[in-house]
Amino acid sequence: MIRSLTRQKTPNRLRMLLAVLAVAAASAILAACSSSGTSSTSGSGSGSTGTSSPAAATTGNLKTTTIGGATVLTNAKGFTLYSFAPDTPTKSNCNGACATFWPPVKGPATASGVKGTFGTIKRSDGSTQATFDGHPLYTFAADTAPGQAKGNGLNEQGGVWHEITTSGTAAPAPASTSSSSGGGYGY
């Protein structure tokens, strides 16, 4: 009798754990989806600058490094910088939850020896974001160490993300991440 009761509790605990995980995943997806099509009036305040992320870039000088044969821009800590295809030279389209996963690089910023134009844009929350050749710059929260480029080629938050190369062209996406489905973020 005791054995049968123990067996019944274990599947129930597993079902409860799976239900909690499913609810958490659905909440995260809904939050991400609700911000992916937002206008420039969203994202004010919390979460838009990503200052708590280890990959978050700060105002200052940028660097370059070679990743997968491409010379890319990184922040001062060596974390890869990205552009977001839906952005324009004057507007970031990554706000709210998007900016939590893709922290904007605070501007202004420069990199010695890099040919190209550095500038800034004003974000919807009033902060200043660095740009390179008309592309607003971001880091990626899933890049947990310098030299990683886990975000290159991901189709997330309503568009494709690319490493920022010093040549002005998008780095080729690695075969393993080029067809990512929404909501994964690599964790």
Side-chain angles (χ1 to χ4, degrees), residues 31-127:
C33 290
S34 68
S35 69
S36 65
T38 58
S39 69
S40 62
T41 59
S42 71
S44 61
S46 66
S48 63
T49 59
T51 55
S52 64
S53 169
T58 59
T59 303
N61 288 330
L62 306 177
K63 303 185 306 183
T64 62
T65 193
T66 301
I67 299 175
T71 302
V72 300
L73 283 176
T74 68
N75 67 11
K77 295 179 181 179
F79 287 90
T80 303
L81 301 185
Y82 298 91
S83 65
F84 186 41
D87 285 351
T88 70
T90 59
K91 181 183 175 200
S92 167
N93 287 301
C94 178
N95 297 291
C98 176
T100 301
F101 294 106
W102 301 90
V105 176
K106 295 179 182 181
T110 61
S112 73
V114 174
K115 293 181 180 179
T117 305
F118 288 93
T120 60
I121 61 169
K122 197 64 102 171
R123 293 184 51 78
S124 63
D125 65 359
S127 64

Side-chain angles (χ1 to χ4, degrees), residues 4-20:
S4 65
L5 287 175
T6 305
R7 286 185 183 165
Q8 287 179 350
K9 286 183 180 181
T10 302
N12 287 337
R13 287 182 184 168
L14 180 60
R15 284 187 194 129
M16 181 62 86
L17 177 62
L18 291 174
V20 168

